[in-house]
Amino acid sequence: MSGHTTELVVFTLLFLVVSGMGFVAARWRRPENIESLNEWGLGGRNFGSWITWFLVGGDLYTAYTFVAVPALVFGAGALGFYAVPYTVIIYPLVFLVLARMWSVSHVHGFVTPADFVRARFGSPTLALLVAITGLVATMPYIALQLVGIEAVLKSMGVTGHLPIIIAFAILAAYTYQSGLRAPALIAFVKDTLIYIVILAAVIYIPAKLGGWGSVFDAAKAKFDASPAPGDGIILNANNQLQYITLAFGSALALFLYPHSLTGVLASKNRNVIKRNMSALPAYSLLLGLIALLGYMAIAAGTKPVMNPDGKTADNNTIVPQLFDQMFPDWFTGVAYAAIGIGALVPAAIMSIAAANLFTRNIYREYFNQHATDAQEARVSKLTSLLVKVGAVLCILVLDPQFSIDLQLIGGVIILQTLPSVALGLYTRWFHKGGLMAGWALGLAVGMWMLYLIPNPVTGKQHFGGSAFALSNFGFDTKMTIYVGFVALAVNLVVAALGTLLFRALKVADGPDATSRDDYFADEGDPKVKDLDLTGSH
């Protein structure tokens, strides 16, 4: 820890200030009674454009993003920039989709995507599958926020898991007390810090390294000397298909995650959603700049922290190490705090979303169908604590590299809910049986493909990433494709064929509890007012 005292003091002070804001958030825009999922889990469904922008942006652009994307660019080059087009194309794709989800959710009081599926397709079983899928895909995502904090702590020479446990204990306490209001308030500070740090980095660091020309020349020299077929500062024939399918597949998956929808459902009207889908690409500009930190680290000769085995390096520490190398100690502390706080906002929202899924679609559906609002809120609070404990255990028990692989698997998993959740907003054509069959076979194909992928760097034979070699299908090529893209295609084909089969056999389908007008309702609509979901603050 010697030599990092200033950084550690600045990091700790900012971390404590933000944690204090988390507890104060319980009194911010406080309702008369917070003991309901509409208040605790969705902030009263009354957030305006600015709060929603910071909340959704803080939710989607996580601590893991700020360490992993530059680390991927540092290791593989141009392929790491897939995160930029995927966060650009997602917003036009979901501009109208999310407005529909907001409307039907406000009319019927839906809190989770599985609530919508339950009503739309009249199937508790399909809703349960969607809920479990969301839970399984979200858990490793929460664990990965810890990887971001851990990378910062390692760079400050702090070892052991106690600081991580303390940080998440504080997070658990203020999330339990304040619900979604806590990450909504903290997101203002988190995003402001990150913008300051990144803008300073892209101006200051290249200037110290001799300009952008020197940065790109150093990156090109590194990748020209590399024997790997898939790296380089521009894409090549081997990685173009992987890049395209990974970007498109990731875009389709992003707003299927329960935590992404939680921020959207907390908005007070449809216009807030539309304004945010127009403004959120500003974060994509920031993401492009963040990715360039990987090239800066190459030019600066930055070395990642070695793992405890002394043989392998932890590439996730590249950005913290670069900041430590290039910035004065006090500003490095600010940068570390930006990354650390960047973990708290999404981790809080993810744990709330996971807790809401369990409460609404497992506890209420199968254990207590007449649960009161207060009972639902209590179960959700307790579940959010258990989810955070599970995330900490993922880091304590599992190899962090395995957690990263789990997150890749999570994207493949959550994509299998697209036909029932996203397409369900537009069509009732699919039969619930066809959707379940598509979900099952899509998952099976996805898991089989992931199982066949090795990771030569770590020596793992299975589950070593999400780039599936087309040679496994018998093609004479070195090209790879994103597993989730293929698995989703299988899902859609099977769901369509299954629907035709069930219709031909005249198998009864579930009733649709929604009506066409529900998908266009807005704030002030009589249907919404009847449920008293518009909030009164």
Side-chain angles (χ1 to χ4, degrees):
M1 202 182 297
S2 59
H4 296 285
T5 306
T6 304
E7 298 164 4
L8 192 60
V9 169
V10 173
F11 174 84
T12 305
L13 283 175
L14 284 170
F15 200 89
L16 290 175
V17 166
V18 164
S19 298
M21 289 178 65
F23 288 105
V24 170
R27 295 182 177 82
W28 176 57
R29 303 164 66 94
R30 184 178 178 84
E32 290 180 11
N33 180 17
I34 200 172
E35 296 302 315
S36 74
L37 290 191
N38 285 314
E39 291 295 346
W40 182 84
L42 291 177
R45 301 184 188 246
N46 200 33
F47 290 159
S49 297
W50 276 107
I51 299 173
T52 302
W53 191 76
F54 281 106
L55 180 67
V56 176
D59 179 22
L60 300 182
Y61 299 88
T62 68
Y64 178 64
T65 305
F66 300 126
V67 296
V69 171
L72 184 58
V73 171
F74 176 83
L79 187 63
F81 284 92
Y82 85 92
V84 179
Y86 115 61
T87 56
V88 171
I89 63 175
I90 180 58
Y91 300 112
L93 282 175
V94 300
F95 184 87
L96 296 175
V97 176
L98 292 179
R100 280 179 170 244
M101 178 61 88
W102 183 93
S103 291
V104 72
S105 297
H106 269 56
V107 169
H108 292 274
F110 300 151
V111 177
T112 70
D115 281 350
F116 163 71
V117 171
R118 170 76 167 85
R120 180 64 154 160
F121 296 99
S123 172
T125 307
L126 182 59
L128 178 65
L129 295 178
V130 169
I132 292 172
T133 304
L135 282 167
V136 171
T138 302
M139 281 297 293
Y141 220 149
I142 301 172
L144 282 175
Q145 303 316 307
L146 297 177
V147 172
I149 299 179
E150 211 165 40
V152 166
L153 293 175
K154 278 185 182 178
S155 295
M156 289 191 289
V158 178
T159 56
H161 292 297
L162 184 61
I164 291 284
I165 294 171
I166 293 171
F168 255 54
I170 295 170
L171 169 68
Y174 65 64
T175 306
Y176 184 92
Q177 179 178 325
S178 306
L180 194 66
R181 286 173 172 80
L185 188 57
I186 294 170
F188 284 95
V189 179
K190 172 236 175 188
D191 289 353
T192 302
L193 280 176
I194 285 169
Y195 268 100
I196 290 169
V197 169
I198 298 306
L199 291 175
V202 297
I203 295 169
Y204 179 73
I205 296 177
K208 285 193 71 174
L209 294 173
W212 282 106
S214 299
V215 171
F216 283 105
D217 287 345
K220 185 175 187 304
K222 175 192 172 180
F223 294 121
D224 284 348
S226 166
D231 61 15
I233 63 167
I234 60 172
L235 297 172
N236 57 49
N238 293 320
N239 59 18
Q240 286 172 351
L241 182 64
Q242 170 70 11
Y243 183 90
I244 294 166
T245 53
L246 181 58
F248 187 55
S250 300
L252 293 178
L254 189 62
F255 277 97
L256 292 171
Y257 279 104
H259 59 273
S260 303
L261 284 174
T262 296
V264 170
L265 296 185
S267 307
K268 68 179 180 180
N269 58 44
R270 288 169 62 98
N271 284 335
V272 168
I273 307 291
K274 293 177 180 178
R275 278 194 289 268
N276 270 273
M277 293 306 105
S278 303
L280 277 167
Y283 277 98
S284 301
L285 170 64
L286 187 68
L287 187 59
L289 300 177
I290 290 168
L292 287 171
L293 293 172
Y295 284 165
M296 294 181 214
I298 294 172
T302 304
K303 302 294 182 198
V305 175
M306 298 302 290
N307 285 318
D309 61 15
K311 298 175 184 177
T312 57
D314 181 2
N315 271 3
N316 285 321
T317 59
I318 275 294
V319 170
Q321 287 291 91
L322 175 67
F323 289 161
D324 187 36
Q325 183 180 340
M326 305 301 292
F327 286 141
D329 288 353
W330 69 270
F331 194 77
T332 303
V334 173
Y336 286 174
I339 297 172
I341 295 163
L344 297 183
V345 173
I349 302 170
M350 289 169 192
S351 64
I352 290 169
N356 290 346
L357 275 173
F358 175 82
T359 302
R360 289 298 288 257
N361 307 115
I362 298 176
Y363 168 74
R364 180 169 178 167
E365 186 73 51
Y366 294 98
F367 295 99
N368 186 1
Q369 292 191 348
H370 304 291
T372 63
D373 285 350
Q375 286 174 322
E376 284 189 348
R378 196 176 311 118
V379 170
S380 239
K381 286 181 174 183
L382 292 171
T383 307
S384 76
L385 294 179
L386 292 174
V387 166
K388 293 185 190 72
V389 170
V392 172
L393 288 176
C394 279
I395 293 296
L396 299 182
V397 177
L398 300 175
D399 170 16
Q401 179 58 45
F402 184 62
S403 297
I404 293 167
D405 294 337
L406 275 178
Q407 199 272 324
L408 292 172
I409 297 169
V412 176
I413 291 171
I414 201 66
L415 268 173
Q416 306 317 310
T417 64
L418 184 142
S420 51
V421 176
L423 297 185
L425 287 165
Y426 281 88
T427 177
R428 186 58 176 74
W429 179 78
F430 287 103
H431 189 284
K432 63 180 181 181
L435 289 169
M436 285 187 258
W439 173 88
L441 277 168
L443 269 183
V445 169
M447 292 303 106
W448 169 74
M449 293 173 71
L450 289 165
Y451 179 78
L452 294 180
I453 299 173
N455 186 335
V457 177
T458 59
K460 291 173 61 174
Q461 295 302 308
H462 307 291
F463 296 105
S466 62
F468 186 78
L470 289 180
S471 56
N472 289 317
F473 288 139
F475 295 104
D476 182 19
T477 178
K478 291 182 179 178
M479 293 173 72
T480 57
I481 191 168
Y482 176 51
V483 170
F485 190 80
V486 179
L488 177 61
V490 170
N491 184 338
L492 288 168
V493 170
V494 172
L497 292 175
T499 296
L500 292 172
L501 177 62
F502 285 118
R503 296 262 189 266
L505 295 174
K506 294 186 169 52
V507 176
D509 202 354
D512 183 0
T514 68
S515 68
R516 185 179 182 280
D517 291 342
D518 298 344
Y519 296 88
F520 302 96
D522 206 346
E523 184 183 30
D525 188 285
K527 289 182 176 180
V528 176
K529 279 187 174 178
D530 288 345
L531 287 167
D532 192 25
L533 297 178
T534 52
S536 53
H537 307 300

